[in-house]
Amino acid sequence: MDIDAFWELIEECRRQTRGRDERLTWLRDELSQRPLIEIVQFQVRLDEVTHEAFTWDLWAAAERIFGGWCSDDGFCYFGLWMVGLGRNAFSRAVADPDALADTPEVRCLVGRPRELWNDDWPEWESLDYVAMEAYGLLVGIDDDCRDAFYEAVEAEQADVEGSRGPLGEQWDVRSDDEATRKLPRLSAMFPLRPLAG
């Protein structure tokens, strides 16, 4: 499965289903009908594209949307959610994180209290496990396939060492001047409340 086939599968999933749970079921079922190597390659491609999104500017965009703070895990799940937006929206956001302001999935959050975001919360942790679940279904060992699956993924990955931290320079999303300059639309859409002193 090359990168184009990966994105075609994500786009088809978006066309076929609504909601994250339906998408996961569709993806798992679709992947489990493919050869094991394609399931493994799906995870390799997923890891590659989420690595592209591992930047300080996108982390700042997530922090802005989340109200001024985003944990390490929260940012990882945010990157997986961005994959679910589809190739075009994902690529635009990687190139310009403020482009997330154009996506319906972000626009629907504006003005809503975060505690009411529920299924619209911009995270998709479960996407990171769907290939392993499909792998388990295919080999018939649902619960105990983790080690075998990740060994297969590691064997399929290129021997390229990734960066240890996010790309770019870290900056403070709570600085209104900097946020307005770097993320003008997201800053306007998601104004931060002052920290309690």
Side-chain angles (χ1 to χ4, degrees):
M1 178 178 294
D2 65 12
I3 195 65
D4 291 328
F6 168 84
W7 281 116
E8 285 170 20
L9 191 58
I10 295 293
E11 298 293 351
E12 184 62 21
C13 178
R14 284 177 57 81
R15 284 190 293 273
Q16 294 290 330
T17 60
R18 298 206 185 278
R20 280 176 264 206
D21 289 344
E22 284 182 31
R23 287 180 182 174
L24 286 172
T25 300
W26 188 92
L27 271 173
R28 186 188 60 234
D29 292 349
E30 181 65 28
L31 286 169
S32 65
Q33 296 173 37
R34 295 174 180 234
L36 282 177
I37 188 63
E38 284 191 39
I39 298 171
V40 169
Q41 288 170 344
F42 176 89
Q43 185 67 45
V44 170
R45 300 292 91 80
L46 180 62
D47 292 346
E48 288 171 359
V49 297
T50 54
H51 183 73
E52 284 179 50
F54 196 49
T55 70
W56 284 117
D57 286 343
L58 273 168
W59 201 325
E63 287 181 330
R64 194 69 193 204
I65 293 167
F66 293 154
W69 186 80
C70 179
S71 69
D72 296 2
D73 286 346
F75 181 55
C76 176
Y77 307 152
F78 181 82
L80 291 162
W81 170 82
M82 283 180 38
V83 171
L85 298 177
R87 189 176 201 170
N88 185 43
F90 180 90
S91 298
R92 287 186 66 221
V94 168
D96 172 18
D98 205 39
L100 285 168
D102 297 329
T103 65
E105 293 86 348
V106 169
R107 296 175 73 90
C108 80
L109 303 174
V110 176
R112 289 171 54 197
R114 285 174 186 81
E115 58 271 13
L116 300 179
W117 286 3
N118 301 323
D119 292 340
D120 293 327
W121 193 272
E123 68 82 24
W124 200 12
E125 177 185 4
S126 303
L127 179 61
D128 206 24
Y129 310 119
V130 72
M132 182 178 65
E133 291 172 9
Y135 186 96
L137 287 172
L138 205 57
V139 297
I141 50 171
D142 296 358
D143 297 332
D144 297 331
C145 73
R146 175 180 292 274
D147 290 343
F149 174 71
Y150 286 111
E151 284 173 17
V153 168
E154 193 173 307
E156 187 65 23
Q157 289 172 326
D159 291 331
V160 178
E161 187 155 331
S163 65
R164 296 187 188 279
L167 301 172
E169 268 188 51
Q170 186 174 11
W171 56 277
D172 184 5
V173 76
R174 290 194 161 276
S175 163
D176 283 333
D177 290 343
E178 197 162 18
T180 300
R181 186 170 47 81
K182 292 187 174 191
L183 300 169
R185 293 180 292 157
L186 288 176
S187 295
M189 293 166 76
F190 298 97
L192 300 181
R193 288 177 250 150
L195 291 173

